Amino acid sequence: MPDAPDLAMPHGAADLPVARVESHSLEIREDGGFLGDKASETAFRELLDLWRDRLADAGSTPFGEGPTEEIERDDLDEALTRPSDPDEAEALERTLDAFADDLAGVLDRFLHVPSWAGVERIVCGGGLQSSRVGVEAVRRAERRLRAKGHCVALRSLHHEPDDGGMIGWAHAAPRSALEGGEAFLAVDIGGTNLRCGIVALGAGAAGPQVVHREKWCHADDEPSREEVVDRLATLLLDAVGEAERRGLRLAPFVGLGCPGLVRADGTLAGGVQNLPGDWTEDGFCLPERVRLSLHEIGGRPTVIRLHNDAVIQGLSEWPFMRDVTRWAAVTIGTGLGNCAFRNREATRFD
C-alpha cells in the first residue's frame, strides 16, 4: 500500500473524513452515579421491573412470573401495538413515560454542555432502538425536549442498530486504507454483545451495507477479557474466509468500536466498566492484539483503527445528516453512549 498522509490518523481521532467529533463519552455525575445511566436500556428494564412489582402488589402478574431482563423486546412491542392484557399495557405505558422523562432530562443536560451547543438533530441508536418500544420512547422524549424549549429533532437509526456500529467505519476510516477494496472488516464490542461483520462499500443510493455478520452475546458466557479478544480474532479470521468465498475483495482495514475514551495510541482511558475484565490495564492495546492475529489482508499490511462505539454508530447516519452543521448521537444500550459532531463544510451537499 502506498504511503498516505491520512494513514497517520490516530486512534480515537477527533478529525475524521466527513466530520469533527466535538465530544464523546460525556460523564456527567449525578446522585453518586453517571447521568447517562438513567437513560440506558438497563434503566428502562429497571423502570419496567418497578411497575411490574407495583402491579404485582395488587394481585397482577404483567409479563408473567419471569425476571424483567428476560422479557423479549417482541413481547414488549406486542403489548404496545396489540395490547391484550390491560395490566401489561399499563406497566409498559408508565415505564415509557418515565423513561422518556429521563431520556429528555439527560439530553437537556447534554445540550447545555458547550460541545453540544447548536446541535440541530440527535440520532438514537443502541439495542433498544431495534424495537417499536424504543422508537416510541424516542418520540415521547422529543416532545418533552421541545417542551423544555429545545428545537431539536430526535431520530432513530436508519440501519439496524447491530449494523450501525460497523457501517459507520465507511465514513470514519482513512480513505487511502479503503482504496482498491470492495469491502472491509468491522467489529463492534458492547457491554452485552460482540459483533463482527463484512461491510460492502456499495455505491449510489444503497451506500455501505453489512453483508455478513456474526454476533456473540458474551454476557451470557461471562468471559474474561482475554477470551473476548481471542473470540474476536477468530471471528475476524472467519470473516476473511467468508469474503474469499463470496469473491469480495477486502480492503486491508479493520475498524474496531468499543465503549469508552480511546487514546491516540489505541489504549483505553476509561468508560469501559461494562466490558469483561480490565480494558484500561497498562500495556493492553486492543488494536495491537488484533494485529498479531491479522497482520495482513490480501497480502497487504492491515490498517487497524479503534474508536468509541457511539461515534461509529453515529457516523453510520452521516448521509442523513448532511443538511445540518451540528448533530449528535446517543446509543441506548447497556449504558448510554453519546457523541456530538460538526460536519465538514466541504462534505455538505456534495
Side-chain angles (χ1 to χ4, degrees):
M1 178 185 295
D3 192 24
D6 66 343
L7 290 183
M9 183 180 82
H11 301 284
D15 288 306
L16 298 173
V18 299
R20 175 174 175 78
V21 183
E22 296 291 317
S23 73
H24 72 80
S25 303
L26 290 177
E27 293 186 335
I28 300 173
R29 288 190 172 273
E30 183 175 272
D31 299 330
F34 293 112
L35 177 69
D37 289 342
K38 295 174 64 177
S40 65
E41 182 167 6
T42 304
F44 179 89
R45 298 274 176 170
E46 289 172 353
L47 287 168
L48 181 58
D49 196 50
L50 172 68
W51 283 104
R52 290 180 73 206
D53 283 347
R54 289 183 178 179
L55 289 168
D57 289 341
S60 176
T61 56
F63 300 104
E65 300 283 356
T68 300
E69 61 267 23
E70 293 181 5
I71 299 173
E72 298 290 339
R73 291 182 188 136
D74 286 346
D75 294 332
L76 296 176
D77 286 349
E78 184 78 16
L80 176 68
T81 58
R82 291 182 294 276
S84 57
D85 183 322
D87 289 328
E88 289 184 357
E90 181 181 359
L92 184 57
E93 181 68 21
R94 291 184 179 274
T95 298
L96 277 169
D97 273 342
F99 183 77
D101 284 342
D102 288 341
L103 178 57
V106 170
L107 295 178
D108 175 54
R109 290 283 298 278
F110 286 171
L111 287 163
H112 283 92
V113 174
S115 61
W116 277 58
V119 162
E120 302 165 72
R121 198 175 297 156
I122 303 172
V123 59
C124 301
L128 193 61
Q129 293 312 107
S130 63
S131 66
R132 292 183 180 180
V133 164
V135 173
E136 175 62 16
V138 166
R139 187 185 69 82
R140 296 186 189 195
E142 180 183 49
R143 214 164 51 222
R144 287 159 170 79
L145 266 184
R146 291 186 179 275
K148 292 175 181 287
H150 296 290
C151 295
V152 177
L154 267 60
R155 298 289 182 268
S156 294
L157 281 178
H158 284 75
H159 301 289
E160 288 291 325
D162 278 1
D163 292 350
M166 295 184 281
I167 288 173
W169 277 110
H171 310 300
R175 292 290 184 234
S176 58
L178 300 180
E179 287 178 359
E182 300 172 300
F184 64 89
L185 303 181
V187 175
D188 181 14
I189 307 168
T192 301
N193 299 297
L194 183 154
R195 306 167 185 86
C196 178
I198 301 172
V199 181
L201 289 167
Q209 299 289 328
V210 176
V211 295
H212 170 77
R213 66 182 64 74
E214 294 289 340
K215 180 176 177 179
W216 173 38
C217 183
H218 61 75
D220 290 344
D221 297 339
E222 299 183 357
S224 66
R225 183 192 71 192
E226 294 306 303
E227 288 171 326
V228 172
V229 173
D230 288 346
R231 176 69 72 90
L232 189 161
T234 297
L235 290 175
L236 282 171
L237 291 171
D238 289 347
V240 171
E242 179 64 24
E244 291 174 353
R245 285 189 288 275
R246 291 173 179 242
L248 279 172
R249 185 172 64 255
L250 284 177
F253 176 77
V254 178
L256 306 171
C258 78
L261 295 166
V262 180
R263 297 189 181 101
D265 64 357
T267 60
L268 292 157
V272 289
Q273 61 271 13
N274 290 323
L275 297 182
D278 182 5
W279 292 62
T280 62
E281 182 183 15
D282 288 345
F284 177 73
C285 180
L286 180 61
E288 290 307 312
R289 291 291 298 274
V290 171
R291 195 185 310 278
L292 291 174
S293 303
L294 194 61
H295 60 278
E296 286 188 350
I297 295 177
R300 294 180 290 172
T302 306
V303 176
I304 301 171
R305 289 293 181 273
L306 173 67
H307 215 307
N308 175 265
D309 57 348
V311 169
I312 299 305
Q313 187 167 115
L315 283 174
S316 73
E317 201 72 6
W318 173 76
F320 308 100
M321 297 290 176
R322 297 167 73 185
D323 60 325
V324 298
T325 299
R326 302 291 302 275
W327 56 286
V330 294
T331 57
I332 306 172
T334 308
L336 184 79
N338 62 83
C339 52
F341 300 97
R342 180 190 295 272
N343 278 337
R344 292 191 177 282
E345 200 66 29
T347 66
R348 294 177 70 209
F349 313 116
D350 62 358

